[in-house]
Amino acid sequence: MFKSKAYTTVLNERPELVQEFTDHHHCRMGRWYYEGKGKELFSHTKAYRAMEEPHALVHDMVLGTIPCAVEKNCLTQDRRETIVGNFKKMEEASNQLFRLIREMVQEANTDIVKELEFSGKSA
């Protein structure tokens, strides 16, 4: 949702959407991570601890890009390189984040993963 809304905001220059974006502490995932079930169930895993940096980067890249929607200059030639670069970094950080989520779940459930591996099924 966050990334999709970022693309919509920038590519359609929708200034009314800009105020809906928050930092990585106050989004749904941030609340899950810092004070919710995520912290409760997964904070003991290495992957959980590694998630903060790419999650913050996703938000930083979006928050650094969306002001052009207010200025209505997102699609100008001189902004293109910055916007593409920011969205590329956002996507790379997002991919890293989803990889870490998979690792986190596996770390937290090693007994189930081992059982699946023993039975010949993949996790």
Side-chain angles (χ1 to χ4, degrees), residues 71-89:
E71 301 160 6
K72 296 278 191 179
N73 68 354
C74 295
L75 305 178
T76 61
Q77 183 68 33
D78 59 318
R79 302 275 308 155
R80 185 175 300 164
E81 190 174 320
T82 299
I83 289 170
V84 169
N86 286 355
F87 279 155
K88 182 178 178 181
K89 289 176 189 171

Side-chain angles (χ1 to χ4, degrees), residues 83-100:
I83 289 170
V84 169
N86 286 355
F87 279 155
K88 182 178 178 181
K89 289 176 189 171
M90 174 194 74
E91 290 293 351
E92 290 168 354
S94 177
N95 289 338
Q96 181 182 9
L97 185 58
F98 280 99
R99 180 184 54 77
L100 288 166

